[in-house]
Short mmCIF file of all heavy atoms in Angstrom, two decimals:
data_model
loop_
_atom_site.label_atom_id
_atom_site.label_comp_id
_atom_site.label_asym_id
_atom_site.label_seq_id
_atom_site.Cartn_x
_atom_site.Cartn_y
_atom_site.Cartn_z
N MET I 1490 -15.49 -5.02 15.27
CA MET I 1490 -14.64 -5.86 14.33
C MET I 1490 -14.24 -7.13 14.86
O MET I 1490 -14.07 -7.22 16.08
CB MET I 1490 -13.38 -4.91 13.96
CG MET I 1490 -12.67 -5.66 13.02
SD MET I 1490 -11.29 -4.36 12.42
CE MET I 1490 -10.08 -5.50 11.81
N GLU I 1491 -14.43 -8.09 14.13
CA GLU I 1491 -14.06 -9.56 14.51
C GLU I 1491 -12.72 -9.85 14.83
O GLU I 1491 -12.45 -10.52 15.86
CB GLU I 1491 -14.53 -10.48 13.48
CG GLU I 1491 -16.00 -10.52 13.10
CD GLU I 1491 -16.77 -11.10 14.15
OE1 GLU I 1491 -16.31 -12.08 14.82
OE2 GLU I 1491 -17.94 -10.82 14.36
N GLY I 1492 -11.61 -9.14 14.12
CA GLY I 1492 -10.41 -9.48 14.50
C GLY I 1492 -9.86 -10.83 13.89
O GLY I 1492 -10.55 -11.46 13.16
N HIS I 1493 -8.52 -11.13 14.10
CA HIS I 1493 -7.97 -12.47 13.73
C HIS I 1493 -8.12 -12.69 12.30
O HIS I 1493 -8.18 -13.81 11.88
CB HIS I 1493 -8.55 -13.61 14.46
CG HIS I 1493 -8.54 -13.47 15.88
ND1 HIS I 1493 -7.34 -13.51 16.62
CD2 HIS I 1493 -9.44 -13.14 16.83
CE1 HIS I 1493 -7.56 -13.31 17.93
NE2 HIS I 1493 -8.88 -13.06 18.08
N GLY I 1494 -7.98 -11.56 11.38
CA GLY I 1494 -7.85 -11.76 9.93
C GLY I 1494 -9.29 -11.84 9.27
O GLY I 1494 -9.33 -12.23 8.22
N TYR I 1495 -10.41 -11.76 10.10
CA TYR I 1495 -11.81 -11.80 9.59
C TYR I 1495 -12.03 -11.04 8.37
O TYR I 1495 -12.56 -11.65 7.23
CB TYR I 1495 -12.72 -11.42 10.65
CG TYR I 1495 -14.18 -11.61 10.18
CD1 TYR I 1495 -14.84 -12.85 10.50
CD2 TYR I 1495 -14.98 -10.59 9.67
CE1 TYR I 1495 -16.13 -13.02 10.04
CE2 TYR I 1495 -16.26 -10.71 9.18
CZ TYR I 1495 -17.00 -12.01 9.46
OH TYR I 1495 -18.21 -12.07 9.14
N TYR I 1496 -11.67 -9.65 8.33
CA TYR I 1496 -11.98 -8.95 7.19
C TYR I 1496 -11.09 -9.38 6.02
O TYR I 1496 -11.58 -9.38 4.91
CB TYR I 1496 -11.62 -7.45 7.55
CG TYR I 1496 -11.74 -6.53 6.23
CD1 TYR I 1496 -12.97 -6.07 5.87
CD2 TYR I 1496 -10.65 -6.21 5.57
CE1 TYR I 1496 -13.18 -5.20 4.76
CE2 TYR I 1496 -10.77 -5.36 4.45
CZ TYR I 1496 -12.00 -4.94 3.99
OH TYR I 1496 -12.12 -4.16 2.88
N THR I 1497 -9.79 -9.54 6.30
CA THR I 1497 -8.80 -9.94 5.04
C THR I 1497 -9.39 -11.14 4.44
O THR I 1497 -9.26 -11.31 3.22
CB THR I 1497 -7.53 -10.10 5.70
OG1 THR I 1497 -7.02 -9.02 6.29
CG2 THR I 1497 -6.50 -10.42 4.56
N LEU I 1498 -9.83 -12.12 5.12
CA LEU I 1498 -10.26 -13.47 4.61
C LEU I 1498 -11.58 -13.27 3.82
O LEU I 1498 -11.83 -14.19 2.89
CB LEU I 1498 -10.51 -14.52 5.65
CG LEU I 1498 -9.26 -15.01 6.47
CD1 LEU I 1498 -9.58 -15.83 7.60
CD2 LEU I 1498 -8.30 -15.73 5.36
N ARG I 1499 -12.17 -12.29 4.00
CA ARG I 1499 -13.44 -11.97 3.34
C ARG I 1499 -13.51 -10.78 2.33
O ARG I 1499 -14.65 -10.26 1.97
CB ARG I 1499 -14.68 -11.84 4.44
CG ARG I 1499 -14.87 -13.29 5.13
CD ARG I 1499 -15.59 -13.02 6.48
NE ARG I 1499 -15.78 -14.22 7.07
CZ ARG I 1499 -14.82 -14.92 7.72
NH1 ARG I 1499 -13.65 -14.50 7.87
NH2 ARG I 1499 -15.23 -16.12 8.38
N SER I 1500 -12.40 -10.26 1.97
CA SER I 1500 -12.24 -9.13 1.21
C SER I 1500 -11.54 -9.43 -0.06
O SER I 1500 -10.85 -8.54 -0.62
CB SER I 1500 -11.69 -8.01 1.94
OG SER I 1500 -10.29 -8.35 2.33
N GLN I 1501 -11.65 -10.56 -0.82
CA GLN I 1501 -11.01 -10.97 -2.09
C GLN I 1501 -11.58 -9.96 -3.14
O GLN I 1501 -10.63 -9.54 -3.94
CB GLN I 1501 -11.50 -12.36 -2.38
CG GLN I 1501 -10.64 -13.44 -1.63
CD GLN I 1501 -11.41 -13.76 -0.29
OE1 GLN I 1501 -12.57 -13.50 -0.11
NE2 GLN I 1501 -10.74 -14.34 0.61
N ALA I 1502 -12.84 -9.56 -3.06
CA ALA I 1502 -13.21 -8.65 -4.27
C ALA I 1502 -12.56 -7.37 -4.05
O ALA I 1502 -11.98 -6.67 -4.96
CB ALA I 1502 -14.75 -8.51 -4.01
N GLN I 1503 -12.47 -6.71 -2.86
CA GLN I 1503 -11.74 -5.38 -2.69
C GLN I 1503 -10.35 -5.58 -3.00
O GLN I 1503 -9.78 -4.65 -3.63
CB GLN I 1503 -11.91 -5.08 -1.11
CG GLN I 1503 -13.31 -4.74 -0.74
CD GLN I 1503 -14.06 -5.94 -0.16
OE1 GLN I 1503 -13.74 -6.98 -0.53
NE2 GLN I 1503 -15.01 -5.64 0.74
N GLN I 1504 -9.68 -6.71 -2.73
CA GLN I 1504 -8.32 -6.92 -3.11
C GLN I 1504 -8.09 -6.96 -4.49
O GLN I 1504 -7.05 -6.36 -5.25
CB GLN I 1504 -7.66 -8.10 -2.33
CG GLN I 1504 -7.64 -7.93 -0.79
CD GLN I 1504 -7.13 -9.15 -0.17
OE1 GLN I 1504 -6.34 -9.95 -0.67
NE2 GLN I 1504 -7.55 -9.33 1.20
N ALA I 1505 -9.01 -7.67 -5.17
CA ALA I 1505 -8.80 -7.80 -6.71
C ALA I 1505 -9.06 -6.44 -7.44
O ALA I 1505 -8.23 -6.10 -8.29
CB ALA I 1505 -9.87 -8.77 -7.17
N TYR I 1506 -9.98 -5.64 -6.97
CA TYR I 1506 -10.17 -4.33 -7.58
C TYR I 1506 -9.01 -3.45 -7.08
O TYR I 1506 -8.63 -2.52 -7.87
CB TYR I 1506 -11.55 -3.71 -7.19
CG TYR I 1506 -12.57 -4.28 -8.03
CD1 TYR I 1506 -13.49 -5.31 -7.64
CD2 TYR I 1506 -12.78 -3.91 -9.37
CE1 TYR I 1506 -14.43 -5.86 -8.35
CE2 TYR I 1506 -13.74 -4.39 -10.07
CZ TYR I 1506 -14.57 -5.33 -9.63
OH TYR I 1506 -15.52 -5.96 -10.50
N GLY I 1507 -8.41 -3.48 -5.87
CA GLY I 1507 -7.35 -2.76 -5.40
C GLY I 1507 -6.07 -2.93 -6.38
O GLY I 1507 -5.39 -1.97 -6.56
N GLU I 1508 -6.01 -4.05 -6.87
CA GLU I 1508 -4.81 -4.41 -7.70
C GLU I 1508 -4.83 -3.55 -9.00
O GLU I 1508 -3.87 -3.25 -9.64
CB GLU I 1508 -4.84 -5.83 -8.08
CG GLU I 1508 -4.32 -6.72 -6.94
CD GLU I 1508 -3.97 -8.12 -7.41
OE1 GLU I 1508 -3.38 -8.13 -8.47
OE2 GLU I 1508 -4.12 -8.93 -6.48
N LEU I 1509 -5.98 -3.13 -9.45
CA LEU I 1509 -6.19 -2.20 -10.47
C LEU I 1509 -5.41 -0.94 -10.25
O LEU I 1509 -4.98 -0.21 -11.24
CB LEU I 1509 -7.56 -1.94 -10.89
CG LEU I 1509 -8.41 -3.18 -11.44
CD1 LEU I 1509 -9.88 -2.74 -11.46
CD2 LEU I 1509 -7.96 -3.79 -12.61
N GLY I 1510 -5.24 -0.40 -9.10
CA GLY I 1510 -4.75 0.85 -8.74
C GLY I 1510 -3.11 0.71 -8.39
O GLY I 1510 -2.65 1.69 -8.08
N PHE I 1511 -2.60 -0.47 -8.36
CA PHE I 1511 -1.26 -0.56 -7.89
C PHE I 1511 -0.22 0.21 -8.87
O PHE I 1511 0.66 0.69 -8.41
CB PHE I 1511 -0.73 -2.14 -7.96
CG PHE I 1511 -1.26 -2.87 -6.73
CD1 PHE I 1511 -1.33 -4.19 -6.70
CD2 PHE I 1511 -1.56 -2.22 -5.64
CE1 PHE I 1511 -1.80 -4.98 -5.66
CE2 PHE I 1511 -2.00 -2.99 -4.44
CZ PHE I 1511 -2.06 -4.26 -4.54
N GLN I 1512 -0.52 0.11 -10.17
CA GLN I 1512 0.49 0.93 -11.07
C GLN I 1512 0.31 2.35 -10.81
O GLN I 1512 1.36 3.00 -10.72
CB GLN I 1512 0.06 0.51 -12.40
CG GLN I 1512 1.09 1.16 -13.45
CD GLN I 1512 0.67 0.76 -14.89
OE1 GLN I 1512 -0.48 0.40 -15.25
NE2 GLN I 1512 1.67 0.79 -15.66
N TRP I 1513 -0.89 2.85 -10.49
CA TRP I 1513 -0.96 4.21 -10.23
C TRP I 1513 -0.31 4.61 -8.84
O TRP I 1513 0.32 5.65 -8.66
CB TRP I 1513 -2.41 4.72 -10.09
CG TRP I 1513 -3.15 4.66 -11.49
CD1 TRP I 1513 -2.55 4.86 -12.61
CD2 TRP I 1513 -4.59 4.68 -11.63
NE1 TRP I 1513 -3.57 4.71 -13.64
CE2 TRP I 1513 -4.78 4.62 -13.15
CE3 TRP I 1513 -5.66 4.43 -10.70
CZ2 TRP I 1513 -6.07 4.56 -13.56
CZ3 TRP I 1513 -6.83 4.39 -11.23
CH2 TRP I 1513 -7.02 4.43 -12.69
N LEU I 1514 -0.55 3.79 -7.93
CA LEU I 1514 0.12 3.96 -6.55
C LEU I 1514 1.70 3.90 -6.77
O LEU I 1514 2.31 4.85 -6.11
CB LEU I 1514 -0.28 2.88 -5.60
CG LEU I 1514 0.51 2.88 -4.36
CD1 LEU I 1514 0.09 4.06 -3.48
CD2 LEU I 1514 -0.07 1.52 -3.56
N GLU I 1515 2.24 3.00 -7.51
CA GLU I 1515 3.63 2.95 -7.65
C GLU I 1515 4.22 4.18 -8.40
O GLU I 1515 5.23 4.78 -7.92
CB GLU I 1515 4.03 1.69 -8.38
CG GLU I 1515 3.78 0.40 -7.63
CD GLU I 1515 3.87 -0.92 -8.40
OE1 GLU I 1515 3.74 -0.71 -9.68
OE2 GLU I 1515 3.93 -1.90 -7.84
N HIS I 1516 3.53 4.59 -9.38
CA HIS I 1516 3.95 5.89 -10.11
C HIS I 1516 3.82 7.13 -9.23
O HIS I 1516 4.85 7.84 -9.19
CB HIS I 1516 2.91 6.06 -11.35
CG HIS I 1516 3.34 7.23 -12.12
ND1 HIS I 1516 4.42 7.36 -12.91
CD2 HIS I 1516 2.78 8.47 -12.19
CE1 HIS I 1516 4.48 8.58 -13.46
NE2 HIS I 1516 3.42 9.28 -12.97
N ALA I 1517 2.77 7.10 -8.41
CA ALA I 1517 2.67 8.37 -7.56
C ALA I 1517 3.73 8.32 -6.46
O ALA I 1517 4.46 9.39 -6.17
CB ALA I 1517 1.37 8.40 -6.90
N ALA I 1518 4.07 7.26 -5.88
CA ALA I 1518 5.03 7.24 -4.78
C ALA I 1518 6.45 7.53 -5.42
O ALA I 1518 7.21 8.14 -4.74
CB ALA I 1518 5.05 5.70 -4.22
N ALA I 1519 6.68 7.05 -6.65
CA ALA I 1519 8.10 7.27 -7.28
C ALA I 1519 8.13 8.75 -7.53
O ALA I 1519 9.23 9.29 -7.59
CB ALA I 1519 8.17 6.51 -8.52
N GLU I 1520 7.08 9.48 -7.72
CA GLU I 1520 7.07 11.00 -8.21
C GLU I 1520 7.26 11.92 -7.05
O GLU I 1520 7.56 13.05 -7.17
CB GLU I 1520 5.92 11.17 -8.93
CG GLU I 1520 5.82 10.55 -10.41
CD GLU I 1520 7.00 11.02 -11.24
OE1 GLU I 1520 7.12 12.33 -11.35
OE2 GLU I 1520 7.58 10.07 -11.93
N VAL I 1521 6.92 11.34 -5.79
CA VAL I 1521 7.03 12.21 -4.64
C VAL I 1521 8.48 12.75 -4.30
O VAL I 1521 9.37 11.99 -4.27
CB VAL I 1521 6.36 11.64 -3.34
CG1 VAL I 1521 6.60 12.42 -2.16
CG2 VAL I 1521 4.95 11.30 -3.63
N GLU I 1522 8.61 14.02 -4.17
CA GLU I 1522 10.11 14.51 -3.78
C GLU I 1522 10.34 14.11 -2.33
O GLU I 1522 9.51 14.22 -1.54
CB GLU I 1522 9.99 16.03 -3.81
CG GLU I 1522 9.90 16.62 -5.32
CD GLU I 1522 11.14 16.27 -6.11
OE1 GLU I 1522 12.32 16.32 -5.62
OE2 GLU I 1522 11.00 16.03 -7.34
N PRO I 1523 11.63 13.76 -2.15
CA PRO I 1523 11.94 13.28 -0.74
C PRO I 1523 12.01 14.67 0.10
O PRO I 1523 12.29 15.63 -0.45
CB PRO I 1523 13.31 12.75 -0.90
CG PRO I 1523 13.77 13.11 -2.22
CD PRO I 1523 12.61 13.37 -3.10
N PRO I 1524 11.80 14.50 1.47
CA PRO I 1524 11.91 15.65 2.22
C PRO I 1524 13.37 16.10 2.52
O PRO I 1524 14.38 15.21 2.02
CB PRO I 1524 11.36 15.17 3.56
CG PRO I 1524 11.65 13.73 3.58
CD PRO I 1524 11.54 13.14 2.07
N PRO I 1525 13.51 17.21 2.88
CA PRO I 1525 14.94 17.81 3.23
C PRO I 1525 15.62 16.70 4.13
O PRO I 1525 14.97 16.09 4.90
CB PRO I 1525 14.89 19.15 3.77
CG PRO I 1525 13.45 19.51 3.47
CD PRO I 1525 12.64 18.28 3.29
N PRO I 1526 17.00 16.64 4.06
CA PRO I 1526 17.68 15.77 5.11
C PRO I 1526 17.34 16.06 6.47
O PRO I 1526 17.20 17.20 6.95
CB PRO I 1526 19.21 16.26 4.76
CG PRO I 1526 19.14 16.79 3.38
CD PRO I 1526 17.90 17.41 3.24
N GLY I 1527 17.29 15.02 7.34
CA GLY I 1527 16.82 15.08 8.58
C GLY I 1527 15.35 15.11 8.98
O GLY I 1527 15.10 14.95 10.10
N LEU I 1528 14.63 15.25 7.91
CA LEU I 1528 13.08 15.10 8.08
C LEU I 1528 12.56 13.71 7.66
O LEU I 1528 13.15 13.08 6.85
CB LEU I 1528 12.30 16.13 7.32
CG LEU I 1528 12.59 17.67 7.73
CD1 LEU I 1528 11.90 18.52 6.89
CD2 LEU I 1528 12.19 17.75 9.24
N PRO I 1529 11.58 13.13 8.43
CA PRO I 1529 11.11 11.84 8.03
C PRO I 1529 10.35 11.85 6.78
O PRO I 1529 9.72 12.87 6.44
CB PRO I 1529 10.29 11.42 9.26
CG PRO I 1529 9.77 12.78 9.83
CD PRO I 1529 10.84 13.74 9.51
N TYR I 1530 10.22 10.64 6.26
CA TYR I 1530 9.57 10.34 5.04
C TYR I 1530 8.43 9.43 5.42
O TYR I 1530 8.61 8.37 6.04
CB TYR I 1530 10.24 9.76 3.89
CG TYR I 1530 9.54 9.65 2.68
CD1 TYR I 1530 9.65 10.63 1.61
CD2 TYR I 1530 8.84 8.40 2.38
CE1 TYR I 1530 8.86 10.47 0.41
CE2 TYR I 1530 8.14 8.43 1.17
CZ TYR I 1530 8.14 9.38 0.24
OH TYR I 1530 7.48 9.15 -0.91
N VAL I 1531 7.11 9.81 5.15
CA VAL I 1531 5.97 9.07 5.78
C VAL I 1531 5.11 8.61 4.73
O VAL I 1531 4.65 9.23 3.91
CB VAL I 1531 5.34 9.79 6.82
CG1 VAL I 1531 4.04 9.08 7.35
CG2 VAL I 1531 6.15 10.29 8.01
N ILE I 1532 4.86 7.21 4.72
CA ILE I 1532 3.76 6.68 3.77
C ILE I 1532 2.82 5.98 4.81
O ILE I 1532 3.31 5.19 5.64
CB ILE I 1532 4.33 5.62 2.87
CG1 ILE I 1532 5.13 6.27 1.79
CG2 ILE I 1532 3.03 4.90 2.13
CD1 ILE I 1532 5.76 5.32 0.87
N ALA I 1533 1.52 6.36 4.83
CA ALA I 1533 0.66 5.88 5.78
C ALA I 1533 -0.59 5.26 5.08
O ALA I 1533 -0.96 5.64 4.08
CB ALA I 1533 0.19 7.04 6.64
N ASP I 1534 -1.19 4.34 5.84
CA ASP I 1534 -2.54 3.66 5.42
C ASP I 1534 -3.47 4.09 6.55
O ASP I 1534 -3.18 3.77 7.69
CB ASP I 1534 -2.23 2.17 5.28
CG ASP I 1534 -3.61 1.44 5.26
OD1 ASP I 1534 -4.53 2.12 4.59
OD2 ASP I 1534 -3.79 0.31 5.68
N PHE I 1535 -4.43 4.71 6.27
CA PHE I 1535 -5.49 5.16 7.14
C PHE I 1535 -6.72 4.28 7.16
O PHE I 1535 -7.87 4.68 7.57
CB PHE I 1535 -5.83 6.70 6.97
CG PHE I 1535 -4.73 7.54 7.22
CD1 PHE I 1535 -4.02 8.17 6.18
CD2 PHE I 1535 -4.28 7.84 8.58
CE1 PHE I 1535 -3.04 8.99 6.38
CE2 PHE I 1535 -3.13 8.66 8.77
CZ PHE I 1535 -2.56 9.29 7.64
N GLY I 1536 -6.61 3.08 6.69
CA GLY I 1536 -7.71 2.11 6.60
C GLY I 1536 -8.14 1.70 8.08
O GLY I 1536 -7.45 1.86 9.04
N ALA I 1537 -9.29 1.14 8.03
CA ALA I 1537 -9.84 0.64 9.48
C ALA I 1537 -9.94 -0.81 9.61
O ALA I 1537 -10.36 -1.38 10.58
CB ALA I 1537 -11.29 1.23 9.51
N ALA I 1538 -9.37 -1.65 8.52
CA ALA I 1538 -9.40 -3.01 8.86
C ALA I 1538 -8.11 -3.53 9.52
O ALA I 1538 -7.39 -2.80 10.03
CB ALA I 1538 -9.45 -3.68 7.44
N GLY I 1539 -7.96 -4.84 9.55
CA GLY I 1539 -6.81 -5.35 10.28
C GLY I 1539 -5.44 -5.27 9.68
O GLY I 1539 -4.45 -5.69 10.32
N GLY I 1540 -5.37 -4.75 8.52
CA GLY I 1540 -4.11 -4.52 7.87
C GLY I 1540 -3.65 -5.49 6.92
O GLY I 1540 -2.84 -5.29 5.94
N GLY I 1541 -4.34 -6.65 6.68
CA GLY I 1541 -3.93 -7.75 5.73
C GLY I 1541 -4.03 -7.25 4.31
O GLY I 1541 -3.27 -7.62 3.55
N SER I 1542 -5.08 -6.47 4.01
CA SER I 1542 -5.22 -5.96 2.55
C SER I 1542 -4.27 -4.77 2.31
O SER I 1542 -4.31 -4.30 1.18
CB SER I 1542 -6.73 -5.74 2.35
OG SER I 1542 -7.16 -4.73 3.18
N SER I 1543 -3.72 -4.26 3.38
CA SER I 1543 -2.82 -3.04 3.17
C SER I 1543 -1.30 -3.39 3.03
O SER I 1543 -0.71 -2.54 2.45
CB SER I 1543 -2.94 -2.14 4.39
OG SER I 1543 -4.35 -1.73 4.56
N LEU I 1544 -1.05 -4.55 3.30
CA LEU I 1544 0.42 -4.93 3.25
C LEU I 1544 1.09 -4.84 1.76
O LEU I 1544 2.11 -4.31 1.63
CB LEU I 1544 0.70 -6.40 3.80
CG LEU I 1544 0.26 -6.47 5.37
CD1 LEU I 1544 0.49 -7.86 5.80
CD2 LEU I 1544 1.15 -5.49 6.10
N GLU I 1545 0.31 -5.31 0.78
CA GLU I 1545 0.84 -5.37 -0.54
C GLU I 1545 0.91 -3.90 -1.19
O GLU I 1545 2.01 -3.53 -1.62
CB GLU I 1545 0.00 -6.27 -1.43
CG GLU I 1545 0.53 -6.34 -2.82
CD GLU I 1545 1.88 -6.91 -2.94
OE1 GLU I 1545 2.49 -7.46 -2.08
OE2 GLU I 1545 2.58 -6.73 -4.04
N PRO I 1546 -0.21 -3.09 -1.01
CA PRO I 1546 0.02 -1.73 -1.41
C PRO I 1546 1.21 -0.96 -0.79
O PRO I 1546 1.93 -0.22 -1.33
CB PRO I 1546 -1.29 -1.04 -1.22
CG PRO I 1546 -2.21 -2.21 -1.09
CD PRO I 1546 -1.57 -3.30 -0.57
N MET I 1547 1.30 -1.10 0.49
CA MET I 1547 2.36 -0.42 1.29
C MET I 1547 3.75 -0.88 0.71
O MET I 1547 4.70 -0.11 0.58
CB MET I 1547 2.29 -0.60 2.71
CG MET I 1547 1.06 0.10 3.38
SD MET I 1547 1.19 1.95 3.29
CE MET I 1547 0.21 2.34 1.85
N ARG I 1548 3.88 -2.17 0.65
CA ARG I 1548 5.04 -2.91 0.08
C ARG I 1548 5.41 -2.11 -1.19
O ARG I 1548 6.68 -1.74 -1.54
CB ARG I 1548 5.04 -4.36 -0.11
CG ARG I 1548 6.38 -5.04 -0.44
CD ARG I 1548 6.22 -6.39 -0.94
NE ARG I 1548 5.51 -6.53 -2.16
CZ ARG I 1548 6.03 -6.23 -3.44
NH1 ARG I 1548 7.29 -5.88 -3.41
NH2 ARG I 1548 5.45 -6.49 -4.45
N ARG I 1549 4.54 -2.03 -2.09
CA ARG I 1549 4.70 -1.59 -3.45
C ARG I 1549 5.02 -0.06 -3.48
O ARG I 1549 5.92 0.45 -4.21
CB ARG I 1549 3.54 -1.78 -4.43
CG ARG I 1549 3.41 -3.22 -4.79
CD ARG I 1549 2.25 -3.46 -5.69
NE ARG I 1549 2.01 -4.83 -5.88
CZ ARG I 1549 1.72 -5.29 -7.21
NH1 ARG I 1549 1.73 -4.35 -8.10
NH2 ARG I 1549 1.58 -6.59 -7.42
N ALA I 1550 4.35 0.68 -2.50
CA ALA I 1550 4.73 2.09 -2.47
C ALA I 1550 6.00 2.39 -1.95
O ALA I 1550 6.76 3.27 -2.50
CB ALA I 1550 3.68 2.70 -1.49
N LEU I 1551 6.44 1.57 -1.02
CA LEU I 1551 7.81 1.68 -0.38
C LEU I 1551 8.91 1.43 -1.44
O LEU I 1551 9.88 2.03 -1.55
CB LEU I 1551 8.04 0.86 0.91
CG LEU I 1551 7.21 1.44 2.02
CD1 LEU I 1551 7.19 0.33 3.19
CD2 LEU I 1551 7.73 2.72 2.60
N ALA I 1552 8.64 0.30 -2.15
CA ALA I 1552 9.59 -0.12 -3.19
C ALA I 1552 9.63 0.91 -4.31
O ALA I 1552 10.73 1.23 -4.76
CB ALA I 1552 9.13 -1.57 -3.70
N ALA I 1553 8.49 1.43 -4.70
CA ALA I 1553 8.66 2.42 -5.79
C ALA I 1553 9.30 3.65 -5.32
O ALA I 1553 10.13 4.29 -6.05
CB ALA I 1553 7.20 2.85 -6.18
N ARG I 1554 9.19 3.91 -3.96
CA ARG I 1554 9.80 5.27 -3.41
C ARG I 1554 11.33 5.13 -3.48
O ARG I 1554 12.06 6.00 -3.73
CB ARG I 1554 9.19 5.58 -2.09
CG ARG I 1554 9.73 6.76 -1.38
CD ARG I 1554 9.52 7.96 -2.14
NE ARG I 1554 10.79 8.60 -2.62
CZ ARG I 1554 10.96 9.18 -3.66
NH1 ARG I 1554 9.91 9.53 -4.47
NH2 ARG I 1554 12.10 9.68 -4.05
N ARG I 1555 11.69 3.94 -3.07
CA ARG I 1555 13.23 3.57 -2.98
C ARG I 1555 13.74 3.37 -4.41
O ARG I 1555 14.85 3.56 -4.71
CB ARG I 1555 13.46 2.32 -2.15
CG ARG I 1555 13.23 2.60 -0.79
CD ARG I 1555 13.79 1.47 0.13
NE ARG I 1555 13.58 0.17 -0.38
CZ ARG I 1555 12.92 -0.77 0.27
NH1 ARG I 1555 12.42 -0.39 1.60
NH2 ARG I 1555 12.58 -1.98 -0.14
N GLY I 1556 12.93 3.10 -5.40
CA GLY I 1556 13.24 2.88 -6.72
C GLY I 1556 13.88 1.49 -7.06
O GLY I 1556 14.49 1.39 -8.12
N ASP I 1557 13.70 0.65 -6.15
CA ASP I 1557 14.41 -0.72 -6.34
C ASP I 1557 13.43 -1.83 -6.65
O ASP I 1557 13.83 -2.95 -6.96
CB ASP I 1557 15.17 -1.19 -5.08
CG ASP I 1557 14.23 -1.24 -3.75
OD1 ASP I 1557 13.04 -1.21 -3.90
OD2 ASP I 1557 14.77 -1.45 -2.80
N GLY I 1558 12.12 -1.62 -6.69
CA GLY I 1558 11.19 -2.62 -7.05
C GLY I 1558 10.97 -3.69 -6.01
O GLY I 1558 10.25 -4.57 -6.20
N GLU I 1559 11.77 -3.56 -4.84
CA GLU I 1559 11.56 -4.66 -3.80
C GLU I 1559 11.42 -3.92 -2.43
O GLU I 1559 12.02 -2.87 -2.23
CB GLU I 1559 12.84 -5.51 -3.75
CG GLU I 1559 13.03 -6.33 -4.88
CD GLU I 1559 12.09 -7.49 -4.85
OE1 GLU I 1559 11.73 -7.98 -3.82
OE2 GLU I 1559 11.71 -7.96 -5.96
N ALA I 1560 10.47 -4.37 -1.70
CA ALA I 1560 10.30 -3.81 -0.36
C ALA I 1560 10.68 -4.79 0.68
O ALA I 1560 10.77 -5.92 0.47
CB ALA I 1560 8.79 -3.58 -0.12
#
């Protein structure tokens, strides 16, 4: 892997198509039951890139889970 944002800068098509799934992602995250008190709540991205294209989906999933629309 090249690093330094190489993948993110060259993945506009993937990001554009990924936006089609944001509404589903937000709905799914909002529907998940929280764990019992004292247990962690985990949202994970298991992608292999540098993370640049994962930031927006993770922000949206966290905001939907909290129910506030803002991450």
